[in-house]
Amino acid sequence: MHRRPNIGARIAAMSSHDAIYYEKRAEAQLALAQKAKTGKAVQAHYDLASAYLDLVYGQDISADEPAVSQAA
């Protein structure tokens, strides 16, 4: 099961205007994924939607998988 930690803290650090913008971009990417003709295009749209949602809510954390840190 996926959880989004620190939702309140993440949203508080971002303006509500920015959060709404990124959520709408995620929704648009999901709509484009539904219309995509190839598996690679579908995956690209889902990846973009996920990235937009990560900006608002933080990265997904799975109980089954360890968190992966990304080097800057």
Side-chain angles (χ1 to χ4, degrees):
M1 177 163 47
H2 287 87
R3 300 178 281 132
R4 293 193 185 275
N6 284 333
I7 291 172
R10 185 68 154 213
I11 291 174
M14 177 182 292
S15 75
S16 62
H17 175 36
D18 288 344
I20 291 168
Y21 171 80
Y22 289 126
E23 286 177 344
K24 286 183 178 182
R25 294 302 313 139
E27 290 172 4
Q29 290 301 320
L30 293 174
L32 290 168
Q34 295 295 316
K35 296 176 183 177
K37 303 289 186 202
T38 67
K40 285 185 179 183
V42 170
Q43 187 60 53
H45 289 299
Y46 280 131
D47 290 346
L48 285 168
S50 179
Y52 284 126
L53 292 173
D54 284 347
L55 288 172
V56 178
Y57 297 107
Q59 283 187 300
D60 285 344
I61 294 179
S62 172
D64 300 332
E65 299 172 3
V68 177
S69 64
Q70 296 179 348

